[in-house]
Amino acid sequence: MDDDVERLNRLLDDLAAERDPRERAELSATEVELAQTAAFLKAAHGERSTPSEAFVERLGRRLAAGSSTETIARQRTARMLTTTLAAGLLACSLTFPLTGAPTPAHAPAPAAGLAARDRAACLAIWPAVQRCRADLTTVTGDHQQASAKLNAVQRAPRRLGPDARRMRNVCLAARVNRLNFAAGARHTAARRVKAELHAALVDMAESACDCTQFAHDIAGGDVGAAAVPLECSASARTAATAHMRMVTSYVH
Amino acid sequence: MMDAEALYRAHVRPLYTFIYSRVGNRETAEDLTSAVFIKALTHLDPTREEHSLVAWLYRVAHNAVADYWRGGCGARVIALEEVRTAPQTPPATDVGREEQTATRARALLARLPENYRTVLSHRLLEGLSLAETARCMGTSEGNVKILQHRALKRAAELQEDDTVDG
């Protein structure tokens, strides 16, 4: 009984703080039922249970872009799909600190120097990516090594334009992350990290439309190949394919 | 008949509320709402009548929420097979009532005994911590833990009764 009371207290703490209660511990059937009741009661706060206009507009644009370009997207090559996905992934992490512990308290908000559209997109997925970075550290225990690699990338010769260079760095960050995934593949948390990254890719698809120059610059290199889509379930692959079509249409 | 944009504009807000009132956090609600619309509109059959499309949409959302609470990384990815084979009738209490979700949640709170209502309001609506709630209610943190546990179980029972009653 005491344990039940304690667990429910933590569950309420999470719900009150807008955290996902499943991240702390696996919930029993009874706890799920109580969590759903608590979620319903939270909806008594009408404003909180209404979506933000920014979210409604952002999702609307994404859906519109996806439906209007499906035919064109079918003709794109797999290589360009991969490259563009890498750009999307990178865009979501390009503004993160490359050194130091990735704790939410110390992670800065997306840089002010970004284009307004990229900045808005980064802000939108900011919480998910913060969790993703924290999870990666948990899974691999090797954040410092990843940071060192990323810093080396940043010191690379500046042959590309600033936007392309920035996006290339993000691709390499994705490459490091992928290596980390391989290291932690048997860790149960890795599955959730993959889902987070997949969600980040999806959310960043729209901002990838600004990366035409980047895609052109790296199309002949091996950066895109380094960011092969993560292994995932059949349903996730199907979903990813639909998003790839959308993303590819932006590049051309 | 209804096109994708009209379907989205008409139903994104109530669908979000539907999901939020079942998962309780904004980020997850946004993720699941996005996933539901992306999956649903990918397989939209525009020749369907609107009420049929809406019922289908809510069934997809209902399954997404169930999948979320089942845990695992499938929370943001809805199997297309599930979408295709979903029943055409939504849960009886869902469609058409989402705009009244806040009202219904407040009504459920109002039916609880005062101390139950107070503790849940402090914790869930005002976002007070355990210690803050204890101070506000003039009791110990241990008592608040027990009280909120009983209060939530009672609320779940009342909610279940409502569902059965229809």
Side-chain angles (χ1 to χ4, degrees):
Chain A
M1 177 64 180
D2 285 350
D3 188 47
D4 290 346
V5 168
E6 286 295 337
R7 284 174 61 93
L8 182 71
N9 183 56
R10 288 193 289 270
L11 188 153
L12 290 179
D13 280 343
D14 288 339
L15 284 173
E18 297 272 315
R19 290 191 297 264
D20 182 349
R22 302 170 316 146
E23 293 185 357
R24 191 195 295 271
E26 191 169 337
L27 302 178
S28 68
T30 301
E31 287 170 332
V32 167
E33 183 186 355
L34 294 179
Q36 289 186 287
T37 297
F40 178 70
L41 292 174
K42 277 187 73 181
H45 193 304
E47 187 179 330
R48 201 181 286 161
S49 62
T50 303
S52 70
E53 285 307 307
F55 166 72
V56 171
E57 291 306 314
R58 191 170 63 246
L59 179 57
R61 286 197 305 271
R62 229 168 77 188
L63 294 172
S67 61
S68 65
T69 57
E70 191 174 348
T71 302
I72 298 172
R74 286 196 192 100
Q75 301 169 2
R76 308 308 181 198
T77 65
R79 177 160 185 82
M80 186 54 77
L81 290 174
T82 303
T83 300
T84 311
L85 272 175
L89 176 55
L90 174 45
C92 72
S93 57
L94 64 98
T95 56
F96 303 150
L98 299 183
T99 59
T103 56
H106 295 95
L114 292 175
R117 188 175 190 174
D118 285 352
R119 179 173 167 75
C122 286
L123 283 171
I125 63 156
W126 182 243
V129 176
Q130 278 183 312
R131 285 206 314 274
C132 180
R133 284 178 61 84
D135 287 343
L136 278 172
T137 302
T138 301
V139 170
T140 66
D142 197 20
H143 179 71
Q144 294 302 324
Q145 186 180 347
S147 295
K149 291 178 182 176
L150 294 175
N151 284 333
V153 168
Q154 284 212 310
R155 290 192 293 270
R158 297 186 172 188
R159 292 179 291 105
L160 306 173
D163 288 343
R165 189 169 62 248
R166 193 177 60 192
M167 297 306 286
R168 179 202 56 182
N169 288 350
V170 177
C171 275
L172 291 173
R175 184 179 191 173
V176 172
N177 284 349
R178 186 164 179 269
L179 292 174
N180 285 344
F181 275 130
R186 286 184 296 279
H187 195 291
T188 51
R191 295 183 65 220
R192 187 160 57 79
V193 177
K194 287 180 182 178
E196 295 285 5
L197 274 180
H198 175 73
L201 276 172
V202 170
D203 281 332
M204 289 308 299
E206 189 173 355
S207 76
C209 69
D210 292 326
C211 303
T212 306
Q213 183 59 45
F214 159 75
H216 175 76
D217 286 342
I218 69 169
D222 66 348
V223 176
V228 171
L230 306 168
E231 297 80 5
C232 54
S233 66
S235 59
R237 267 198 306 278
T238 305
T241 301
H243 294 303
M244 280 194 252
R245 288 176 182 163
M246 184 195 311
V247 172
T248 306
S249 68
Y250 284 125
V251 175
H252 292 270
Chain B
M1 289 175 51
M2 192 175 205
D3 67 25
E5 183 177 356
L7 183 74
Y8 175 74
R9 292 291 165 194
H11 297 287
V12 61
R13 290 175 180 82
L15 193 86
Y16 174 94
T17 301
F18 172 89
I19 292 173
Y20 182 89
S21 68
R22 285 155 177 79
V23 300
N25 78 80
R26 183 171 285 274
E27 187 181 334
T28 300
E30 290 187 355
D31 284 347
L32 292 183
T33 303
S34 299
V36 166
F37 272 105
I38 288 169
K39 292 294 166 290
L41 295 187
T42 300
H43 299 276
L44 177 68
D45 177 1
T47 62
R48 276 186 176 180
E49 293 297 321
E50 179 180 356
H51 72 272
S52 173
L53 284 174
V54 174
W56 178 58
L57 200 61
Y58 274 88
R59 174 55 64 183
V60 175
H62 179 83
N63 291 341
V65 170
D67 188 39
Y68 166 78
W69 283 116
R70 274 196 295 268
C73 64
R76 291 180 176 82
V77 179
I78 301 162
L80 296 179
E81 294 73 17
E82 186 179 6
V83 175
R84 288 184 177 132
T85 59
Q88 301 306 304
T89 305
T93 57
D94 295 342
V95 175
R97 294 182 62 182
E98 289 313 303
E99 290 179 4
Q100 288 84 43
T101 294
T103 304
R104 288 192 292 122
R106 284 194 287 270
L108 178 58
L109 268 177
R111 290 165 60 192
L112 294 170
E114 184 176 353
N115 56 345
Y116 285 5
R117 183 169 63 244
T118 301
V119 73
L120 292 181
S121 294
H122 283 331
R123 294 288 275 139
L124 292 171
L125 299 184
E126 296 156 34
L128 299 187
S129 68
L130 188 71
E132 290 167 336
T133 302
R135 277 198 296 276
C136 285
M137 296 184 72
T139 186
S140 68
E141 293 183 19
N143 279 339
V144 170
K145 286 181 187 174
I146 294 171
L147 193 61
Q148 68 189 10
H149 188 256
R150 291 174 179 168
L152 200 53
K153 286 178 75 172
R154 180 63 186 140
E157 289 167 2
L158 290 174
Q159 195 180 21
E160 177 68 20
D161 290 345
D162 288 347
T163 303
V164 172
D165 293 342

